[in-house]
Amino acid sequence: MFSALGDGTRLRLVARLCREGPLSITQLREGTEITRQAVTKHLHALEEAGLAHGTRQGREQVWSLETKRLEVARRYLDDVSVQWDAALGRLRELVEG
């Protein structure tokens, strides 16, 4: 999951889907220089990571985020943040103490 989010293009696609909701590949390409094939490739990588899914609506594939999977990532990052804050606090005490 984090590997999929580690790519800048995929992260921008996720951010757009978060802000704007479900979008077609055509809509996701708007305002970028990325090819349709590249967008499709990145969306499939997000799908394999369980972060997005596409559904056929007429001739278009519309993509949505898997919010439950993103919530798992957010909780994990929150836990890591708490651990780092605690470690930095201990280091500060050691250095200042």
Side-chain angles (χ1 to χ4, degrees):
M1 169 175 44
F2 289 109
S3 176
L5 292 172
D7 180 89
T9 300
R10 287 192 286 269
L11 196 54
R12 284 188 293 280
L13 290 171
V14 167
R16 235 175 117 208
L17 290 169
C18 280
R19 282 191 315 271
E20 300 175 37
L23 296 169
S24 69
I25 294 171
T26 302
Q27 291 169 316
L28 286 166
R29 276 197 66 232
E30 291 174 3
T32 71
E33 295 183 17
I34 302 169
T35 66
R36 182 178 181 84
Q37 291 80 11
V39 170
T40 301
K41 177 183 169 187
H42 287 294
L43 288 168
H44 284 290
L46 290 170
E47 185 174 45
E48 286 177 23
L51 296 168
H53 69 278
T55 54
R56 179 78 47 201
Q57 290 185 1
R59 295 180 61 182
E60 287 280 353
Q61 184 90 358
V62 176
W63 289 83
S64 303
L65 291 178
E66 292 291 345
T67 55
K68 290 180 184 178
R69 186 80 166 138
L70 287 171
E71 180 62 28
V72 168
R74 188 193 64 77
R75 281 196 311 267
Y76 175 78
L77 291 173
D78 286 346
D79 290 346
V80 169
S81 177
V82 168
Q83 292 171 15
W84 273 101
D85 288 346
L88 289 172
R90 289 190 303 272
L91 179 61
R92 185 179 304 115
E93 287 178 14
L94 182 66
V95 170
E96 294 173 355

